[in-house]
Amino acid sequence: MDNTYNKTLTKTPSIQEAEAYIRRRFLLVERNRQSSYLDVSDNQIVEFSVVVAVITNRFQLKLKEAQTLLKNTFLNPYSGKSVFRPNTENKVLNINDKWVLNTYRKPRIDPDPNLSPQPFLDHLNLAIKDDTAIEFLLDFVAYRYQHRHVNAKTGKPAHALYIYSTAQGQGKSLFTDVITEIFGSSSVKSTTTADALIKQNGYEFWERIWLLADEVRVGDRTRLYDNLKARISKLTDTVDPKNRASMEVELPAQLIMTSNHPPTFIEPDDRRFCIIEWDTGLRDDAKTDYFDEYVAWLNTYGYPAIAGLLQTRDLSNYKPMAPPPRTDAKRYAILESEEPEVDRVLRLLDRYSDVYAFDSHTIDELKLPNKTQRQILRKAGLYKERINHKGKKPTLYIRDGYGVSAGNIVESDTKEVVVPLEKNLQRLEPTL
């Protein structure tokens, strides 16, 4: 593009300000010889007329002035790539002479060390009841608050958290909500399904500060377990995305898993996971009253107070590369991991990661004990249901998060069709 102005456009202070503004906010996107624009304020691709409207509204320019200005302003070309760089608030970066989008956005919560975080600390003591686990959790989170950007020079802590509670409504998700609020939504990726993590683009979940995985079932010696074990400590990996050449990707995220079940995959010599049992001991009205008060504190002073605690916490005793503490919950989890039947089911799910409903014949081949079959399948993330299919009512064992509707496998929350049921069952034929 020509970097000179149309002779009819006078370079006034308002015009100069508008030019600087659009150079900061927009990148040029060339598609099929047509110019579009990437709005870095919300990462949306917009057309010429939209940018013109922004200029006219913000700087009170006439339509012709705005059109002429945009046509004659040189905009940096967007390379099509993005990175996560929490060490800068710049939305656009020049890396290797290419203009890339920085996906990091500053959180709305500012830390305030002058506010007392005591309600948060009291909450952890109530829910965890293990001083060693509490201190590790605080160090684990505070380290990434003080070191948001990790690279080959700094290293990435080789630690992950697994938090579980067999009782419902004890505040595990509230804890991860606090993490999201304090670090900012751009610093967090979340998932509730195992297959999302092992797909070809599963690496994308590791491109932030935190990967939050809720009720993702993992089995010992499965592909998912091997994937997690490797990426917990890796900073980069070489991947082969679909229809794209192999490339190196960054994996700065650390993993926090939450569940209503103890883990069944922890090895006796594990050096990555800190296992924490989370239960306030409160039930019914007492639980409701307590969380109403705690949430009210979070929404007033709580978030900046917790951020202030993380910002100022002394981390001299935290060893990012040393094994995490062996909590009582971890010792229990290691014993629980000896349950071979659950592991057998999880290996089946791992083998058929694109199958969402299993027929009775397939489950019978696992030779699970009749008396405990239901409990074993639930621990592995399968539930039993009879459905109407081709005039019959077969029994299916369906993955958590999915269901059957009108002859299709659908996602439970969105009801979006995943695959026709018949096609899903045909994938099991080699095992019959």
Side-chain angles (χ1 to χ4, degrees):
M1 282 191 181
D2 188 359
N3 201 28
T4 61
Y5 279 91
N6 185 298
K7 292 180 180 179
T8 62
L9 186 62
T10 303
K11 198 172 182 181
T12 64
S14 178
I15 293 293
Q16 289 178 318
E17 184 182 359
E19 178 187 18
Y21 178 80
I22 59 177
R23 283 175 59 83
R24 288 194 307 270
R25 180 169 170 177
F26 297 97
L27 292 175
L28 181 65
V29 179
E30 293 284 0
R31 296 188 301 187
N32 300 322
R33 298 185 179 181
Q34 295 293 320
S35 295
S36 298
Y37 305 86
L38 175 66
D39 186 344
V40 301
S41 68
D42 58 9
N43 301 347
Q44 298 295 310
I45 302 289
V46 297
E47 302 306 319
F48 180 87
S49 60
V50 175
V51 182
V52 168
V54 170
I55 301 170
T56 56
N57 290 336
R58 183 170 285 267
F59 297 97
Q60 287 77 53
L61 299 182
K62 294 178 181 178
L63 179 62
K64 284 287 187 183
E65 289 179 323
Q67 290 173 334
T68 303
L69 173 62
L70 181 56
K71 286 179 181 178
N72 292 294
T73 298
F74 178 83
L75 298 180
N76 294 319
Y78 177 44
S79 67
K81 295 187 177 182
S82 61
V83 295
F84 181 75
R85 291 290 184 273
N87 56 333
T88 176
E89 294 182 26
N90 292 337
K91 296 177 180 177
V92 178
L93 304 173
N94 187 311
I95 299 178
N96 296 327
D97 300 319
K98 296 177 182 177
W99 295 98
V100 301
L101 187 67
N102 182 11
T103 56
Y104 172 73
R105 296 294 181 267
K106 183 179 183 293
R108 70 179 188 86
I109 300 298
D110 291 320
D112 189 345
N114 296 316
L115 293 174
S116 172
Q118 197 58 48
F120 175 64
L121 298 174
D122 292 341
H123 179 64
L124 294 181
N125 278 287
L126 180 66
I128 299 177
K129 302 178 181 67
D130 181 330
D131 291 343
T132 301
I134 292 171
E135 291 303 309
F136 180 84
L137 180 148
L138 289 170
D139 286 345
F140 174 80
V141 178
Y143 184 89
R144 288 311 298 269
Y145 196 79
Q146 296 177 26
H147 304 83
R148 302 186 197 195
H149 180 58
V150 293
N151 53 30
K153 186 176 181 180
T154 65
K156 182 175 79 169
H159 295 150
L161 277 186
Y162 188 104
I163 301 173
Y164 75 91
S165 173
T166 55
Q168 297 286 335
Q170 294 303 302
K172 300 186 305 296
S173 61
L174 181 58
F175 171 72
T176 54
D177 288 346
V178 168
I179 295 290
T180 301
E181 191 70 21
I182 289 173
F183 282 83
S185 59
S186 74
S187 296
V188 174
K189 285 273 186 112
S190 303
T191 184
T192 57
T193 61
D195 57 318
L197 295 175
I198 56 177
K199 285 182 177 178
Q200 286 180 310
N201 64 343
Y203 65 88
E204 294 176 355
F205 285 93
W206 295 87
E207 292 180 332
R208 301 294 188 262
I209 295 177
W210 298 113
L211 165 53
L212 307 180
D214 181 49
E215 288 297 354
V216 172
R217 305 304 177 95
V218 183
D220 188 18
R221 299 182 298 279
T222 61
R223 187 157 58 103
L224 175 59
Y225 176 63
D226 291 340
N227 178 288
L228 295 179
K229 194 164 70 168
R231 289 182 170 174
I232 282 171
S233 54
K234 273 187 176 182
L235 260 173
T236 61
D237 200 4
T238 301
V239 299
D240 299 291
K242 190 174 182 179
N243 300 323
R244 295 168 65 184
S246 296
M247 62 181 184
E248 186 176 77
V249 295
E250 299 174 346
L251 309 172
Q254 288 184 255
L255 175 66
I256 299 178
M257 304 183 74
T258 53
S259 178
N260 291 326
H261 309 277
T264 60
F265 59 88
I266 301 298
E267 298 171 323
D269 59 348
D270 173 74
R271 296 174 55 88
R272 293 169 176 82
F273 281 92
C274 177
I275 312 300
I276 295 177
E277 184 174 12
W278 186 288
D279 192 337
T280 65
L282 300 174
R283 302 294 185 267
D284 303 324
D285 290 344
K287 181 181 73 174
T288 300
D289 293 342
Y290 168 79
F291 277 104
D292 284 348
E293 183 177 345
Y294 179 63
V295 170
W297 174 76
L298 285 175
N299 291 330
T300 50
Y301 308 108
Y303 294 122
I306 298 170
L309 169 70
L310 299 177
Q311 183 186 58
T312 58
R313 183 171 173 82
D314 179 11
L315 295 172
S316 58
N317 292 324
Y318 179 59
K319 303 295 186 287
M321 300 303 167
R326 183 170 286 235
T327 60
D328 289 340
K330 185 167 188 175
R331 282 188 281 270
Y332 173 75
I334 290 172
L335 293 175
E336 282 291 293
S337 297
E338 302 299 321
E339 195 169 0
E341 291 85 1
V342 175
D343 204 42
R344 205 151 66 233
V345 179
L346 289 168
R347 284 201 294 272
L348 173 76
L349 300 186
D350 186 62
R351 180 183 177 189
Y352 293 103
S353 59
D354 59 348
V355 173
Y356 304 90
F358 297 82
D359 56 29
S360 296
H361 187 86
T362 302
I363 298 300
D364 289 344
E365 285 190 331
L366 295 174
K367 298 183 176 6
L368 302 175
N370 290 332
K371 289 185 178 180
T372 57
Q373 183 189 76
R374 181 178 177 276
Q375 293 91 326
I376 291 168
L377 294 173
R378 286 304 301 132
K379 284 184 179 181
L382 292 177
Y383 69 93
K384 180 179 179 180
E385 185 173 296
R386 294 192 70 187
I387 63 148
N388 292 313
H389 183 58
K390 293 186 174 181
K392 299 180 180 180
K393 288 191 174 183
T395 297
L396 295 181
Y397 298 85
I398 306 170
R399 290 181 188 261
D400 287 344
Y402 299 91
V404 177
S405 177
N408 294 303
I409 301 290
V410 300
E411 293 186 0
S412 298
D413 293 337
T414 64
K415 304 305 179 187
E416 183 178 346
V417 173
V418 179
V419 65
L421 176 59
E422 191 65 27
K423 186 175 181 181
N424 171 92
L425 294 176
Q426 285 172 358
R427 292 169 178 168
L428 293 169
E429 287 180 358
T431 70
L432 299 180

